[in-house]
Amino acid sequence: EALGYKVDRNAVIAGHQIDLLASRFAAGVGMATYAIEVKYREKRAVGTNDVTPFLNTAADLIGRGHVSGATMV
């Protein structure tokens, strides 16, 4: 939000729940929207079972033009 993005928390887009959906208009580019998934594990690292479903979700949303990009933090 401090960078000018409109941020929706726990957004549902095309049937997918996204932790953060950040959107901002950029001159010459248009609307840029990013899906952001947040993961934290107290006693272990985030693993394949956390990452793979998000990769599939990101590919679907990007492929269908719902978001410009996606990241997991």
Side-chain angles (χ1 to χ4, degrees):
E1 292 170 334
L3 296 173
Y5 286 87
K6 175 185 179 284
V7 178
D8 294 316
R9 289 156 181 80
N10 295 312
V12 176
I13 182 166
H16 299 284
Q17 186 277 330
I18 302 298
D19 291 339
L20 300 170
L21 194 63
S23 303
R24 181 172 78 171
F25 182 82
V29 176
M31 187 61 72
T33 303
Y34 302 98
I36 303 163
E37 184 74 9
V38 180
K39 291 291 183 202
Y40 174 77
R41 300 289 183 246
E42 183 79 29
K43 306 246 184 217
R44 63 179 177 84
V46 173
T48 302
N49 290 338
D50 298 307
V51 176
T52 301
F54 180 69
L55 290 175
N56 293 330
T57 295
D60 180 55
L61 293 176
I62 292 168
R64 293 170 44 188
H66 291 294
V67 299
S68 308
T71 191
M72 177 181 276
V73 294

